Amino acid sequence: MAFNELTDLNLWLQVKQDNGAAFKTLFDRYWEKLYVYAFNRLKSTADAQDVVQEVMISIWSRRASLDIETTLAAYLHTAVQYEVLSHFSRAAKIAGKSLEYGKNILPGLSSYMEPLHLKELEALAENEITRLPGKMQQVYRLRQEQHLSVKEISALLNISEQTVRNQLNSSYQKLRKHLKEAILVAIFLHGN
């Protein structure tokens, strides 16, 4: 059977039936496009390759239960977008990169707190960020960690700019509320 002549849908149906040759065709069909997208975001050949491989491995391992409701191309592109975001998140944690809490969550504290207290507060904030609803967390991270504009986030996630603003405002409010007690403790510790 010439898998490269099959439509994406028919190819996916073959993959769901554990056909390794069909999966290889799928892999070959989309590898370069997905790699280029990942590379343009990550600026690293190795990282871009890892991201695409992670997505493809995940798809193969979940093939029996995975129902793709969009086109295969759209699904793969979105999966790579999410994996790129996950990569940035992991890289930030590994590098010990501080999130930019500044004016949005920890207004004014970073200028006078001891570095140890600030690190503890940042760890608490990161814990609260991971508890935000999925889309809200994604919008927050795109804004705060990748410094994307509201317009860029809107285009990337295919949602309105107003929805992005609403998600950002809600995330800031939720984080401020949950971190209020931690901030008071940090101020108390700083004063002693």
Side-chain angles (χ1 to χ4, degrees):
M1 178 182 276
F3 290 113
N4 57 351
E5 295 173 9
L6 292 177
T7 65
D8 284 353
L9 177 60
N10 290 330
L11 191 60
W12 178 244
L13 292 173
Q14 290 293 317
V15 170
K16 285 183 75 73
Q17 295 174 6
D18 299 333
N19 190 316
F23 183 74
K24 169 127 177 47
T25 302
L26 171 75
F27 186 89
D28 292 342
R29 186 177 288 179
Y30 285 100
W31 168 262
E32 187 174 351
K33 289 177 188 173
L34 298 174
Y35 167 78
V36 168
Y37 174 81
F39 180 80
N40 285 337
R41 297 283 186 246
L42 298 169
K43 306 297 185 207
S44 163
T45 299
D47 290 342
Q49 288 173 345
D50 287 348
V51 160
V52 176
Q53 287 172 353
E54 283 297 318
V55 167
M56 298 308 269
I57 288 168
S58 173
I59 287 171
W60 175 255
S61 65
R62 298 180 302 128
R63 68 192 175 279
S65 61
L66 183 62
D67 291 320
I68 298 176
E69 297 176 5
T70 62
T71 65
L72 187 58
Y75 181 85
L76 290 169
H77 182 75
T78 301
V80 168
Q81 283 179 335
Y82 282 117
E83 189 60 32
V84 165
L85 293 176
S86 294
H87 175 82
F88 279 127
S89 179
R90 286 189 302 269
K93 287 177 187 173
I94 291 169
K97 177 183 177 234
S98 298
L99 296 175
E100 291 186 7
Y101 300 115
K103 64 178 181 174
N104 295 317
I105 300 172
L106 307 177
L109 287 181
S110 59
S111 61
Y112 67 86
M113 285 182 64
E114 293 179 27
L116 180 61
H117 295 144
L118 187 58
K119 289 285 183 201
E120 291 170 0
L121 200 52
E122 288 173 351
L124 286 170
E126 176 60 28
N127 185 47
E128 292 301 327
I129 290 166
T130 61
R131 294 173 56 184
L132 290 172
K135 184 65 81 174
M136 187 181 292
Q137 182 181 155
Q138 184 182 17
V139 168
Y140 176 86
R141 289 187 186 281
L142 286 170
R143 179 72 174 149
Q144 294 300 318
E145 294 176 7
Q146 295 186 38
H147 313 290
L148 297 182
S149 69
V150 168
K151 189 173 190 169
E152 291 170 324
I153 296 168
S154 171
L156 179 66
L157 300 180
N158 197 27
I159 57 177
S160 74
E161 290 182 27
Q162 188 58 48
T163 300
V164 172
R165 286 187 203 95
N166 292 344
Q167 292 284 330
L168 286 171
N169 287 334
S170 293
S171 67
Y172 298 151
Q173 288 173 0
K174 285 178 185 264
L175 291 171
R176 279 190 198 111
K177 178 182 175 191
H178 289 106
L179 293 173
K180 187 176 182 180
E181 185 176 316
I183 290 170
L184 292 173
V185 169
I187 291 170
F188 175 76
L189 290 175
H190 178 71
N192 291 333

